[in-house]
Amino acid sequence: MVQESIRILHTQGYKATEPRKLVLEVLEEIEKPLSPYDIQEVLRAKGKYLNHVTIYRILDLLCSLNLAHKMLSGGGFVKCSLDPVEGCHRFMVCQDCGAIQEFADEGLCQRENEFARNHGFHTEHHLSEFSGLCSRCHK
Amino acid sequence: MVQESIRILHTQGYKATEPRKLVLEVLEEIEKPLSPYDIQEVLRAKGKYLNHVTIYRILDLLCSLNLAHKMLSGGGFVKCSLDPVEGCHRFMVCQDCGAIQEFADEGLCQRENEFARNHGFHTEHHLSEFSGLCSRCHK
DNA sequence: AAGCTAAGTGCAATATTATTGCATTTATCT
DNA sequence: AGATAAATGCAATAATATTGCACTTAGCTT
Ligand SMILES: [Mn+2]
Ligand SMILES: [Mn+2]
Ligand SMILES: [Zn+2]
Ligand SMILES: [Zn+2]
C-alpha cells in the first residue's frame, strides 16, 4: 500500500511529496522491476514529469527505508510489499511476464544463518531471488 | 582454479586468449567483487592493458558459462569457485573487508523450491547473497 | 613449422546511466 | 497565512555500457 509507505515516510521525518507519491504509485501499479528511466517513461505516458535526478534520489530514500528494493536481475527497482524489514529481502521473479512477488520465510533465515555460522561467517543481511514461472505463466 | 576455467572454455569451443586469462587471474587473485573498470585498473597496475570493451565482453562470456557472477551489492563481478552450476549462485560477502565466499547447500535449494511451489511458483534459478562478517573480520 | 581462418580484440564513436552544486519550489509546523 | 528546512529541477559533468569495423591471434590444417 502506498498509503502505508507514506505513513512511514512521515514517521521517519520525511515529507510525503508529490514526486515521492508518484514513484510509489508507479512501482505499486506495475509490480515489475523498473529502472529510474523506466519510471520516468511510465510517468510521461501519464502526462506527468519528474526529473531523473529526483527519481534517483527518491529510489535511494525508499531503499534506505526498505520500502523499495533493487533487484539483481537487471537492476530494476520494485516496491516492497511486506513490512519493511532491515536486511532480509526475498523475491520471486517470473521470467516470462516479469511479475515479482516478495516473500519471507523465517525458516530460510534460520537455515542460512546456521549454514553461515558453520563456515565462520556472521550473517547480518539476507538477499534471495528466485526466477522461474509464476502461476499464471506456468501453463 | 584458472586452469579449470580455461579447460571449460576449450570444451565449450572458446579460445583461451591472453585477455581472458588475465581477467580470470585478476578475479581469482582479488576475491572481491570488481567492476570492469576495477579490473582494468588492477591490470594497469601490473603493466598490462585491456580495452574496457574487451573486459565487458569477457565478463559476459564468463557469466554465461557460470564461471563468473555479477553480485547484487555494487554490481561487481566475482570468479565462481565451485563447479559451474546453471541457475544456483550463492555468496557470502564480508561487509568489512569485501571478501567473498561462494557456497552451495542442496538443502537450501530444496527448501526454496518447496516454498515457491507452495506459492504457485515454479522455480528455475536461485540466487542468494548474505552480507555480514567473515571469520577474520569477526573479531 | 608455416599458413589458414574463424574467433577475439582494440579503437573510435556513441549511447545510456548516474552524480553534483546550486537556484527555486514545496510540505509541514507555527 | 508565513516561516523554514527539506526536496525538486536544471545544467553540467562523470561514469558506465554498447556498436561497427579494421586488425590480430589461437587453434587447426596441412
Ligand atoms: Mn533474514
Ligand atoms: Mn538450486
Ligand atoms: Zn508470469
Ligand atoms: Zn572480512
Side-chain angles (χ1 to χ4, degrees), chain B residues 51-82:
Chain B
N51 189 276
H52 71 275
V53 179
T54 301
I55 299 176
Y56 276 96
R57 295 196 271 227
I58 289 172
L59 291 169
D60 280 351
L61 175 65
L62 296 179
C63 287
S64 78
L65 297 175
N66 295 300
L67 298 175
H69 175 78
K70 184 178 193 175
M71 302 293 287
L72 181 119
S73 1
F77 292 81
V78 297
K79 181 169 178 303
C80 294
S81 53
L82 306 178

Side-chain angles (χ1 to χ4, degrees), chain B residues 45-117:
Chain B
K46 297 186 172 191
K48 311 277 186 181
Y49 170 78
L50 289 186
N51 189 276
H52 71 275
V53 179
T54 301
I55 299 176
Y56 276 96
R57 295 196 271 227
I58 289 172
L59 291 169
D60 280 351
L61 175 65
L62 296 179
C63 287
S64 78
L65 297 175
N66 295 300
L67 298 175
H69 175 78
K70 184 178 193 175
M71 302 293 287
L72 181 119
S73 1
F77 292 81
V78 297
K79 181 169 178 303
C80 294
S81 53
L82 306 178
D83 283 342
V85 179
E86 160 84 38
C88 186
H89 293 278
R90 305 185 189 277
F91 293 87
M92 304 187 269
V93 195
C94 178
Q95 50 200 182
D96 210 56
C97 68
I100 54 107
Q101 187 179 339
E102 191 178 7
F103 68 97
D105 181 0
E106 190 48 46
L108 262 187
C109 286
Q110 282 176 20
R111 184 172 184 120
E112 289 178 353
N113 286 339
E114 182 187 328
F115 184 90
R117 188 165 354 104

Side-chain angles (χ1 to χ4, degrees), chain A residues 10 14-18 36-37 52-53 56-57 70:
Chain A
H10 279 148
Y14 296 100
K15 293 183 184 175
T17 62
E18 199 54 32
Y37 289 95
H52 71 275
V53 179
Y56 275 96
R57 295 195 272 227
K70 184 178 193 175

Side-chain angles (χ1 to χ4, degrees), chain A residues 94-99 132-138:
Chain A
C94 178
Q95 49 201 183
D96 209 58
C97 69
L133 294 174
C134 75
S135 47
R136 289 175 38 199
C137 293
H138 188 230

